[in-house]
Amino acid sequence: MTGTVAQNTKILPGANYYDLRIEIQDNNFDAFPGQFVHISCGPGFTLRRPLSICEAEGNMLRVCYEVRGRGTEYLSKLAPGDKIDTLPPAGRGFKIREGGRALLVGGGIGIYPLLWCAKLYGSRADAMLGFRSKSLVHLDDEFARCCATVGVITDDRGFVTQLAEESVCRAAEQGKLYSVIHACGPKPMLQGIAELAERFGIDCEVSLEERMACGVGACMGCVCKTRDTGDFAYKRVCADGPVFDAREVIWQ
Ligand SMILES: Cc1cc2nc3c(=O)[nH]c(=O)nc-3n(C[C@H](O)[C@H](O)[C@H](O)COP(=O)(O)OP(=O)(O)OC[C@H]3O[C@@H](n4cnc5c(N)ncnc54)[C@H](O)[C@@H]3O)c2cc1C
Ligand code: FES
């Protein structure tokens, strides 16, 4: 898929987060929240880089990213009008529920795929967002525009798992338990959320992050360990995920 950069702007002045909007040339693509695009980072790169889809509308695709290494550094230099090469939206995304309330839990760059969920759920969702420090808090205003409640926590005050637990306990007391939790972030956070969901009997979907090579399910370079009828199996994060039922994942 070829696209043209429509916007590529820094989200916060003091941090390396970018908001990239790509106008896709052929608008015959389907995308779902929780899927990712595998983007080429220039001629010198054999491997593409996976980025979660933050939003898609018409032929406009939005991703947000943090500059971490050479690939994302290359992306940060792209200007409006530049061409960009990406594979079509891939992977298994979040299952958006028609009814009931949802809790969205995101840590760091894990908040990005949840933004589209937030927009689809609207006031049926609460969002709990965790960041390393106050100066890195971003996109919380966009979540606040659609969700019923948005909680933000930074590492100096605690972890987002605590906020999520408080929300679930409050919802249980009010007799309005969530029907689903969607979560994306670092593995220990996801494990904590999976345990919380299990404790309260809430369905939970987690989006896993593994380094990827082919990105299309061919190389087994991105596997994670999952439960499989009394035993375990390795599943590919790029093709069988990145979103998994939390009960399926073996955390280790
Ligand atoms: C399904 C999926 C969705 C993702 N969505 C987003 C997103 O929406 N926004 C975003 O900013 N990033 C996202 N990532 C992570 C992103 O793909 C990596 O940050 C990116 O590939 C780094 O490339 P680079 O060339 O800049 O860095 P490299 O030079 O390749 O690496 C720089 C540093 O980042 C670490 N790193 C690289 N890839 C990963 C990874 N997958 N997991 C953990 N650490 C990694 C390396 O260990 C190294 O320390 C996603 C990853 C996956 C698997
Ligand atoms: S990256 Fe090749 S199978 Fe997932």
Side-chain angles (χ1 to χ4, degrees):
M1 243 169 40
T2 310
T4 307
V5 174
Q7 176 193 318
N8 190 24
T9 44
K10 230 177 184 192
I11 300 175
L12 287 174
N16 266 333
Y17 300 118
Y18 286 78
D19 185 340
L20 170 63
R21 316 275 171 121
I22 308 168
E23 205 179 312
I24 300 295
Q25 251 78 65
D26 70 276
N27 50 9
N28 248 341
F29 70 92
D30 264 338
F32 304 96
Q35 286 191 305
F36 66 92
V37 279
H38 218 195
I39 296 186
S40 163
C41 292
F45 287 82
T46 332
L47 297 181
R48 291 167 179 269
R49 300 294 193 259
L51 295 179
S52 302
I53 299 171
C54 217
E55 232 179 314
E57 204 183 348
N59 65 338
M60 193 65 80
L61 201 66
R62 177 185 183 193
V63 292
C64 292
Y65 60 92
E66 179 182 20
V67 174
R68 283 191 177 172
R70 287 196 312 132
T72 41
E73 177 73 35
Y74 167 88
L75 292 181
S76 71
K77 302 282 187 282
L78 294 174
D82 286 346
K83 294 287 175 223
I84 195 160
D85 169 35
T86 166
L87 296 181
R92 179 183 169 275
F94 292 111
K95 285 193 201 112
I96 304 296
R97 305 290 175 101
E98 293 293 330
R101 299 174 68 226
L103 178 66
L104 313 176
V105 188
I109 59 170
I111 65 171
Y112 301 147
L114 298 176
L115 187 56
W116 198 2
C117 299
K119 292 189 177 173
L120 293 173
Y121 279 111
S123 59
R124 287 195 292 127
D126 293 328
M128 300 300 137
L129 313 173
F131 299 91
R132 284 200 307 275
S133 67
K134 205 173 165 198
S135 63
L136 299 180
V137 176
H138 63 294
L139 298 190
D140 52 317
D141 51 340
E142 282 200 57
F143 279 91
R145 278 200 286 276
C146 35
C147 295
T149 311
V150 175
V152 172
I153 194 160
T154 48
D155 286 0
D156 56 327
R157 300 191 38 233
F159 293 127
V160 73
T161 40
Q162 287 167 234
L163 276 190
E165 183 164 1
E166 285 164 21
S167 285
V168 170
C169 291
R170 208 176 310 121
E173 277 164 26
Q174 295 168 349
K176 291 194 285 185
L177 205 58
Y178 299 103
S179 47
V180 66
I181 301 179
H182 302 295
C184 183
K187 234 178 188 167
M189 178 208 111
L190 294 180
Q191 183 173 359
I193 296 300
E195 286 163 4
L196 174 69
E198 185 69 36
R199 191 146 55 92
F200 284 83
I202 307 171
D203 286 346
C204 178
E205 288 187 319
V206 292
S207 180
L208 300 183
E209 231 196 63
E210 287 296 337
R211 301 214 70 176
M212 289 184 185
C214 73
V216 293
C219 72
M220 299 301 280
C222 63
V223 291
C224 66
K225 205 171 175 182
T226 59
R227 284 175 225 291
D228 187 36
T229 49
D231 206 349
F232 69 87
Y234 286 103
K235 286 200 175 166
R236 302 155 303 177
V237 170
C238 68
D240 304 312
V243 176
F244 291 88
D245 183 321
R247 282 174 290 238
E248 226 190 313
V249 180
I250 297 179
W251 306 98
Q252 52 182 11

